[in-house]
Amino acid sequence: MSQATREPVLIVDFGSQVTQLIARRLRESGVFCEIHPFDKVDGMLDAFAPAAVILSGGPATAGVADSPAAPQRLFELGVPVLGICYGEMTLCAQLGGAVESGHAREFGRADIRIVRDSPLLAGLGAVGEAEPVWMSHGDKITAIPPGFAPIAVSEGSPYAAIADEDRRLYGVQFHPEVHHTPRGATLLKNFTHRIAGLSGSWTMKAFREEAVARIRAQVGEGRVICGLSGGVDSSVAAVLIHEAIGDQLTCVFVDTGLLRKDEAREVVGLFRDHYNIPLVHVDAGARFLSALAGVTEPEAKRKAIGAAFIEVFDREAAKVEGAAFLAQGTLYPDVIESVSASGGPSVVIKSHHNVGGLPERMKLKLVEPLRELFKDEVRALGVELGLPPAFVGRHPFPGPGLAIRIPGEVTAEKVAVLQEADAIYLDEIRQAGLYDQIWQAFAVLLPVRTVGVMGDARTYENVLALRAVTSTDGMTADVFEFPWSVLTRAATRIVNEVRGVNRVVYDVTSKPPGTIEWE
């Protein structure tokens, strides 16, 4: 697929915590896009050649000294530009308007009133009608640039949406990317499809064809090692790379002993027996338990697991003659976060959730075929590649495995207890037909013991916590509201079938933007 076919949209990131949602909404409508920090855009603009530009929100005040700004030539490319929240404010400040801080705070739900027809607002209501949106700003646009006109107003802003139709420059004070703006996706599609004229033809089939060609061009006759964790990301990457280069790929599956029950057997069966992918299976459970002995602090566990993983992986990789490339299941959110945080991608073993760095002595070049995709797109690609839907749809699992779901010291006995309890919990969820409604469900073996009575005897055993959350993108999560009967059956089975647990509790905590792991 050519760059022209992609019709790329550039999203300029000014630091909003929901910038990724802009990309998600565009991808959902078949539009390829990339997010780049505002201070890195100028250097990549010519090569990227955007078909349209979106300026994200952000926490700063536009127009003041040292405030973030877009490269001025963005507005001279002749392509449509849409500024969102701070993006609208910097657009105004840079093109001759004015912004003042602290004049009109609008946070949360609000209504805008459409005052002029515009292709940007098509389908959002007629002139004079109100439309619910989500606001999040404390500054105010006091003058708009020459050539612009207001197309919507709100109680707190006479410039809730503005347009220069001749130059195809637009700004909105609200956030169309969040689900609290009910028809925000329609507005974004108006911008990309109606105004920019994009076809919306970016599909997983097209991505697959392009990725295969790109992998072949990068690797040539070289050999590739893939650190296969058994998770969705590394698995999809492995199958995609194998389609491109066949037996030039060798997968190294480091079995840490910290996986879900029977997961190692399933991974080996799928990749070695079904796909016939060259696979090295290393049973290193004892090595990892040894590394975790006496370790209780969560971050120290990650580092211990990372060091052990690199040690084992490095040893096995050295046995693969002629290996020149390392494949990783890096996803687009990882790319965005690493670039934003440090100015460039960090070299890490992504297949184990960044638990360890890639040793420089390995001198391997990276192959990252999924680095343009979000998690749900990876799942769609997996289905496109023929991976079993039940495998592709598995809940996310952390690279350090069950070790971070055992607060306190990790022992073989605790791992065995948690594996059994977790398997029962997921089995009950599947039997109830709820698995696909949940983003992530798992059990946690708490460092707490309670007295209970089982039969005619007192017990003094462990407390187990169950957790389940819903999410669309892994950025935010909310508690899943179980039917009480499902939780009751799961808890009863765990107490009856898993020796070492006599009490089960359910965690109802939701999570803000960020990780949804329980640690």
Side-chain angles (χ1 to χ4, degrees):
M1 183 167 56
S2 68
Q3 183 77 357
T5 305
R6 282 186 169 211
E7 305 168 318
V9 173
L10 170 63
I11 301 172
V12 181
D13 184 15
F14 289 104
S16 169
Q17 62 180 336
V18 293
T19 297
Q20 288 192 31
L21 293 182
I22 303 173
R24 290 298 309 116
R25 300 297 170 259
L26 267 58
R27 297 280 184 91
E28 288 164 4
S29 65
V31 173
F32 178 78
C33 57
E34 288 186 5
I35 299 171
H36 291 272
F38 72 93
D39 56 348
K40 303 293 192 301
V41 166
D42 203 30
M44 49 74 63
L45 196 54
D46 293 332
F48 190 75
V53 175
I54 295 179
L55 310 177
S56 86
T61 295
V64 301
D66 298 324
S67 61
Q72 198 68 24
R73 65 190 184 107
L74 271 184
F75 305 109
E76 301 164 0
L77 293 176
V79 303
V81 178
L82 170 64
I84 295 174
C85 197
Y86 179 86
E88 180 193 18
M89 292 183 177
T90 193
L91 179 148
C92 284
Q94 291 182 238
L95 296 182
V99 178
E100 295 183 10
S101 63
H103 278 266
R105 292 166 58 89
E106 285 186 299
F107 293 95
R109 289 180 174 84
D111 286 323
I112 60 170
R113 182 170 53 86
I114 299 171
V115 297
R116 185 190 298 259
D117 284 326
S118 170
L120 185 69
L121 303 180
L124 272 69
V127 172
E129 292 184 350
E131 178 71 20
V133 298
W134 186 264
M135 296 280 193
S136 182
H137 67 95
D139 300 334
K140 183 177 182 179
I141 298 170
T142 56
I144 56 178
F148 281 82
I151 56 176
V153 300
S154 70
E155 184 176 342
S157 174
Y159 306 117
I162 60 174
D164 181 336
E165 305 285 7
D166 291 338
R167 290 189 290 170
R168 298 186 296 172
L169 304 178
Y170 300 87
V172 295
Q173 195 62 85
F174 52 92
H175 286 272
E177 68 272 30
V178 302
H179 74 271
H180 301 88
T181 300
R183 289 193 276 194
T186 298
L187 184 149
L188 291 171
K189 190 171 182 179
N190 285 341
F191 176 71
T192 56
H193 290 62
R194 284 175 176 261
I195 294 168
L198 307 186
S199 63
S201 59
W202 193 71
T203 64
M204 279 303 107
K205 183 177 185 298
F207 176 86
R208 174 185 181 178
E209 294 170 356
E210 179 193 26
V212 166
R214 196 164 54 216
I215 293 165
R216 288 172 178 165
Q218 179 185 4
V219 173
E221 300 299 319
R223 297 191 61 81
V224 179
I225 301 173
C226 178
L228 187 66
S229 70
V232 173
D233 304 343
S234 64
S235 298
V236 172
V239 174
L240 179 64
I241 294 169
H242 187 252
E243 179 174 293
I245 61 172
D247 288 351
Q248 290 172 244
L249 169 71
T250 299
C251 289
V252 176
F253 173 40
V254 179
D255 182 356
T256 65
L258 303 170
L259 303 176
R260 288 171 286 208
K261 183 180 179 180
D262 296 330
E263 188 165 28
R265 176 178 55 80
E266 293 169 1
V267 169
V268 172
L270 179 64
F271 287 89
R272 180 180 288 165
D273 302 334
H274 180 74
Y275 278 101
N276 199 31
I277 296 177
L279 175 67
V280 177
H281 176 207
V282 187
D283 184 354
R287 172 68 185 89
F288 281 83
L289 285 174
S290 174
L292 290 168
V295 181
T296 59
E297 198 273 323
E299 205 54 39
K301 288 182 186 178
R302 286 183 179 273
K303 292 178 180 178
I305 293 169
F309 178 82
I310 292 299
E311 173 193 317
V312 175
F313 184 85
D314 191 13
R315 183 178 64 241
E316 296 302 323
K319 299 176 184 177
V320 180
E321 186 176 350
F325 297 89
L326 173 70
Q328 296 189 168
T330 307
L331 303 191
Y332 195 44
D334 305 304
V335 176
I336 297 167
E337 291 168 8
S338 63
V339 171
S340 297
S342 63
S346 53
V347 182
V348 290
I349 296 287
K350 169 61 182 66
S351 59
H352 267 246
H353 288 212
N354 300 347
V355 294
L358 177 64
E360 291 184 7
R361 66 179 180 278
M362 292 179 72
K363 300 187 184 304
L364 299 176
K365 301 173 184 176
L366 291 180
V367 179
E368 299 173 304
L370 310 181
R371 62 182 286 114
E372 297 174 342
L373 302 184
F374 288 92
K375 186 75 173 188
D376 58 324
E377 293 171 327
V378 173
R379 296 188 194 279
L381 178 60
V383 173
E384 170 71 28
L385 289 165
L387 278 162
F391 183 89
V392 173
R394 290 190 309 167
H395 294 172
F397 190 66
L402 298 179
I404 60 170
R405 293 176 183 171
I406 302 176
E409 185 176 10
V410 178
T411 65
E413 293 76 15
K414 290 180 181 180
V415 171
V417 167
L418 185 54
Q419 284 177 329
E420 291 296 328
D422 191 68
I424 291 171
Y425 180 38
L426 295 180
D427 180 57
E428 287 296 329
I429 290 173
R430 288 190 177 95
Q431 288 191 48
L434 300 175
Y435 189 85
D436 291 338
Q437 298 178 35
I438 299 170
W439 172 265
Q440 189 181 49
F442 54 87
V444 177
L445 189 64
L446 300 179
V448 177
R449 301 177 74 187
T450 62
V451 174
V453 177
M454 300 179 70
D456 295 321
R458 287 187 177 275
T459 63
Y460 184 55
E461 294 179 334
N462 297 294
V463 178
L464 190 86
L466 303 180
R467 179 161 171 78
V469 294
T470 59
S471 180
T472 56
D473 47 33
M475 294 173 61
T476 61
D478 202 357
V479 64
F480 179 76
E481 296 184 8
F482 269 110
W484 190 247
S485 59
V486 178
L487 277 180
T488 301
R489 283 197 303 272
T492 300
R493 280 192 60 192
I494 289 169
V495 171
N496 286 338
E497 298 176 30
V498 182
R499 187 172 296 277
V501 176
N502 69 358
R503 192 176 303 272
V504 176
V505 298
Y506 184 55
D507 177 6
V508 296
T509 309
S510 61
K511 295 286 280 186
T515 178
I516 59 176
E517 285 300 329
W518 200 103
E519 297 184 16

